Amino acid sequence: NAGVTQTPKFRILKIGQSMTLQCTQDMNHNYMYWYRQDPGMGLKLIYYSVGAGITDKGEVPNGYNVSRSTTEDFPLRLELAAPSQTSVYFCASSSGTVPYEQYFGPGTRLTVT
Amino acid sequence: KNEVEQSPQNLTAQEGEFITINCSYSVGISALHWLQQHPGGGIVSLFMLSSGKKKHGRLIATINIQEKHSSLHITASHPRDSAVYICAVRSTDKLIFGTGTRLQVFP
């Protein structure tokens, strides 16, 4: 099993550009999450999904959109990128049952200039 | 005030030392997780606790639900333990993360 994979690993965007961060898991997990990690801060939840077709906002959803058309994939869309979106983005998945362990992808480092 | 507080923020140790990292939280939780973030950025889950104590090799995690406090101990620390250790609490169906403790172990 590859676990949780994310692409790309690194990306530089200009202000106002858009992009999609890809996340795929092969563990048949129902729950998937997108987090951002800023220097000196804890991970913040952007969006999450409890199953295909179901998504919900987390703590910091503004400027982002998600979709979940399959169990495996949970892409994160950035529209009109802003410097405040410079961060490291992590995707994670979980079965949603005990022990509720979350499996993290390797992260995407995004810089908006 | 953050809902999850970790201390210390930074920690340096000599190889072989006993390490303690603390986590306090202010919300009701169903479980607490300890995670390790490697220097390359990858995050792995170390423990999930809802009560008592768990041990994996040289790592020990404890939780006191009444005091809303957890500790992560590393015995006989080694340079390969150098990483950021993150405490996260499960509240409803989401995790709330602490800011992490950066540990450096020198030979």
Side-chain angles (χ1 to χ4, degrees):
Chain A
N1 287 352
V4 181
T5 57
Q6 289 182 238
T7 56
K9 286 189 167 52
F10 304 94
R11 182 74 186 268
I12 298 173
L13 280 182
K14 294 193 185 308
I15 294 171
Q17 287 185 321
S18 300
M19 76 165 293
T20 299
L21 281 67
Q22 301 291 346
C23 175
T24 300
Q25 53 91 10
D26 62 1
M27 296 173 281
N28 201 33
H29 284 166
N30 286 323
Y31 285 65
M32 295 187 75
Y33 307 85
W34 273 107
Y35 298 98
R36 59 177 289 172
Q37 185 180 41
D38 299 320
M41 306 287 287
L43 285 97
K44 301 289 186 188
L45 182 65
I46 304 171
Y47 271 96
Y48 69 104
S49 170
V50 301
I54 306 168
T55 62
D56 208 348
K57 295 178 181 178
E59 192 179 350
V60 289
N62 291 344
Y64 307 95
N65 277 302
V66 293
S67 59
R68 183 97 182 267
S69 56
T70 67
T71 299
E72 295 78 19
D73 299 306
F74 190 39
L76 177 72
R77 177 86 178 156
L78 278 73
E79 305 281 3
L80 299 174
S84 61
Q85 293 178 303
T86 294
S87 190
V88 181
Y89 292 83
F90 288 96
C91 179
S93 73
S94 167
S95 66
T97 58
V98 175
Y100 302 111
E101 182 175 359
Q102 290 195 12
Y103 296 82
F104 286 81
T108 295
R109 186 174 294 274
L110 176 68
T111 302
V112 182
T113 62
Chain B
K1 191 177 188 302
N2 292 333
E3 293 165 307
V4 181
E5 298 273 0
Q6 287 185 238
S7 63
Q9 285 186 309
N10 294 285
L11 187 54
T12 58
Q14 290 295 125
E15 183 173 357
E17 285 185 5
F18 182 83
I19 305 291
T20 296
I21 299 170
N22 296 298
C23 176
S24 297
Y25 54 91
S26 57
V27 295
I29 71 168
S30 56
L32 182 143
H33 297 251
W34 282 102
L35 308 162
Q36 181 190 54
Q37 185 168 25
H38 298 291
I43 299 173
V44 296
S45 179
L46 297 174
F47 293 103
M48 193 280 291
L49 293 160
S50 54
S51 65
K53 176 179 172 178
K54 285 190 176 178
K55 184 175 188 290
H56 289 159
R58 296 180 293 106
L59 300 179
I60 303 165
T62 64
I63 188 168
N64 185 317
I65 297 292
Q66 286 72 33
E67 294 186 4
K68 297 190 172 181
H69 181 269
S70 175
S71 293
L72 177 68
H73 305 287
I74 305 175
T75 61
S77 59
H78 190 276
R80 65 174 174 265
D81 297 326
S82 298
V84 176
Y85 292 84
I86 301 170
C87 171
V89 300
R90 172 167 296 279
S91 184
T92 61
D93 57 357
K94 296 187 269 296
L95 291 181
I96 305 170
F97 294 82
T99 56
T101 294
R102 184 175 300 276
L103 171 66
Q104 289 185 289
V105 182
F106 295 98

